[in-house]
Amino acid sequence: MRLVVQVRLRPMPEQAASLEATLRACNDAANFASVTAFTTGDRREYALRKHTYREVRARGLGAQAAQHVIKKVADAYTTLKANIRAGNLGPEGSRRRARAESKPIAFRADAAQPFDDRCLSWDHTAHTVSIWTTAGRLKNVAFVGSADQLKMLALYRKGESDLVCRDGRWFLYATCEIPDVPVTEPDGFIGVDLGIANIATTSDGACHCGKGLNAVRHRNRELRRRLQAKATRSAKRLLKKRRRKEARFAADTNHRIAKRIVTEAERTGRGIALEDLGGIRDRVRLRKPQRVTLHSWSFHQLGSFIAYKAARHGVAVVHVDPAYTSQTCSACGHVDKANRPGQATFCCTSCGFAEHADVNAARNIASRGVAGWAVSHAADDAA
């Protein structure tokens, strides 16, 4: 299993200046290579290297750095092609897709740059790194991180690390390959229903976040609306600053929710059943205030956090079809739109069973998780 560990660099002012100059040089060369790839149509790494390697080297980059710049450009065009093929940029002829296809991919001056072990070496005892720059090799650049991050970095780091500058702060994103933990045969499943009023509700009746979180989200949304309407330079600067703050808040909340759910599943020997929310933004029809609330939270991030935390503890995870889980009675199986008269209310029109609507939906998801696990393992046994 691959995880990314983020550590913060603490460079001296002159070291920070060298790192900034290096990022600018690398991304300037990447923009040159991108224009060449767009003009010639040669977007594969080997073909692009023939056209650009000498010029990239002439811009002050070392051999390894030049190779990584060219590979970064080729990977960017591969990702663009995959997004177009998957329809993520709209159908053929759409404005968004036409705009993406009509010009070369551009790289910001401070865009991330990958480094391999020839360009970057770690001293885990002194908590320093030695890194290549256009001004020469920088030694003794200090880095900090949590105890768990540093331990994982020392034991499992493998492959490239990305140098990132974010709001004037420097980070290294290092890839770690963690040994796989065998998945334990689950004794039932915890269903997780994702929603607007409660971000996550489990089949055990635990509602993760509610009024308190929604109050913060509402405040952030209103402040963002007022700043966007003001549209001054200072308002735009504050919007940029708040964007990072809101993203950190959402990620921290998702981490805490995922940890609680995985911990409970591991403690009780159960698996976790999640909704398959692929394409939810295209499927659902909501009022405008609800659309804003739906789009302002990363449910995909929450699902990915639950998945990787579960994998680290050997907890089984299955994704199920969420269709009609909010209208189906978890007691008798009766499906009726009238079963859910309100956002939080569920009352079966057939058997009279009553429960919190999100808890009822989570129980249906848990039942589908049991069935899905049985079907998938029956197919594996037959194979």
Side-chain angles (χ1 to χ4, degrees):
M1 178 175 60
R2 288 189 175 184
L3 295 177
V4 175
V5 173
Q6 172 189 288
V7 295
R8 184 173 177 181
L9 294 179
R10 299 281 192 179
M12 302 296 287
E14 61 275 11
Q15 293 176 331
S18 296
L19 293 176
E20 183 179 358
T22 300
L23 275 191
R24 288 186 177 277
C26 288
N27 287 301
D28 180 61
N31 284 323
F32 160 74
S34 178
V35 172
T36 304
F38 183 81
T39 304
T40 63
D42 291 331
R43 301 178 179 181
R44 294 184 179 181
E45 182 183 352
Y46 182 75
L48 186 59
R49 190 181 297 133
K50 290 183 178 179
H51 294 294
T52 61
Y53 180 75
R54 288 189 178 182
E55 174 63 25
V56 171
R57 289 277 282 127
R59 291 171 180 256
L61 272 62
Q64 284 299 111
Q67 300 280 13
H68 283 297
V69 164
I70 296 169
K71 184 177 185 300
K72 180 169 74 170
V73 174
D75 289 346
Y77 277 102
T78 300
T79 301
L80 175 62
K81 183 177 180 180
N83 282 327
I84 292 173
R85 185 179 300 168
N88 296 333
L89 299 178
E92 186 175 359
S94 67
R95 183 179 300 178
R96 185 182 179 193
R97 177 171 172 175
R99 186 167 59 246
E101 292 177 318
S102 64
K103 59 184 180 181
I105 294 175
F107 296 86
R108 302 187 319 275
D110 60 349
Q113 175 64 22
F115 289 85
D116 61 16
D117 288 343
R118 294 184 182 181
C119 303
L120 176 69
S121 58
W122 301 76
D123 185 340
H124 297 289
T125 304
H127 292 172
T128 60
V129 295
S130 170
I131 186 170
W132 173 89
T133 69
T134 52
R137 191 87 177 184
L138 280 186
K139 298 183 178 180
N140 300 321
V141 181
F143 68 87
V144 294
S146 68
D148 288 341
Q149 287 176 322
L150 298 180
K151 181 180 178 181
M152 188 183 303
L153 195 65
L155 292 176
Y156 304 119
R157 189 197 63 79
K158 188 174 183 180
E160 297 178 353
S161 301
D162 289 347
L163 177 65
V164 177
C165 181
R166 194 170 64 216
D167 297 334
R169 295 179 296 178
W170 293 92
F171 300 89
L172 279 173
Y173 289 0
T175 303
C176 296
E177 292 192 2
I178 311 297
D180 291 332
V181 178
V183 176
T184 305
E185 183 69 24
D187 183 17
F189 278 83
I190 296 177
V192 181
D193 177 67
L194 305 179
I196 295 176
N198 294 300
I199 289 180
T201 304
T202 70
S203 52
D204 293 341
C207 294
H208 295 279
C209 302
K211 292 183 179 179
L213 175 63
N214 286 333
V216 176
R217 295 171 69 187
H218 177 73
R219 177 180 176 276
N220 289 337
R221 185 169 66 247
E222 287 301 306
L223 181 57
R224 189 164 59 246
R225 181 186 62 79
R226 292 199 300 270
L227 290 173
Q228 288 171 341
K230 200 171 184 65
T232 61
R233 285 188 177 182
S234 59
K236 291 178 180 178
R237 283 196 299 269
L238 186 55
L239 273 171
K240 183 179 179 181
K241 183 178 179 180
R242 290 200 59 81
R243 176 175 61 87
R244 298 288 190 193
K245 184 175 181 179
E246 291 180 26
R248 290 194 301 270
F249 170 75
D252 177 67
T253 302
N254 281 338
H255 269 300
R256 288 188 283 110
I257 294 173
K259 185 175 181 179
R260 291 172 188 168
I261 292 172
V262 172
T263 300
E264 180 63 17
E266 183 184 23
R267 185 185 69 82
T268 57
R270 289 178 290 175
I272 301 173
L274 298 173
E275 301 173 77
D276 183 2
L277 297 179
I280 185 173
R281 285 175 168 78
D282 300 324
R283 295 197 312 266
V284 298
R285 296 292 182 267
L286 299 171
R287 294 183 298 110
K288 188 173 182 179
Q290 291 178 313
R291 290 201 299 269
V292 173
T293 307
L294 173 68
H295 297 315
S296 66
W297 196 262
S298 180
F299 293 103
H300 178 270
Q301 184 190 66
L302 175 57
S304 66
F305 285 174
I306 292 175
Y308 96 77
K309 291 178 189 293
R312 291 190 65 184
H313 293 85
V315 175
V317 174
V318 296
H319 291 82
V320 303
D321 183 1
Y324 304 105
T325 51
S326 63
Q327 300 176 14
T328 303
C329 177
S330 59
C332 70
H334 176 65
V335 182
D336 191 342
K337 188 176 182 180
N339 284 348
R340 189 171 182 177
Q343 186 278 325
T345 307
F346 183 91
C347 185
C348 182
T349 58
S350 176
C351 69
F353 172 76
E355 181 56 275
H356 189 285
D358 292 340
V359 175
N360 177 77
R363 290 177 179 174
N364 289 324
I365 292 170
S367 299
R368 294 186 183 186
V370 173
W373 180 264
V375 170
S376 64
H377 277 65
D380 291 341
D381 294 340

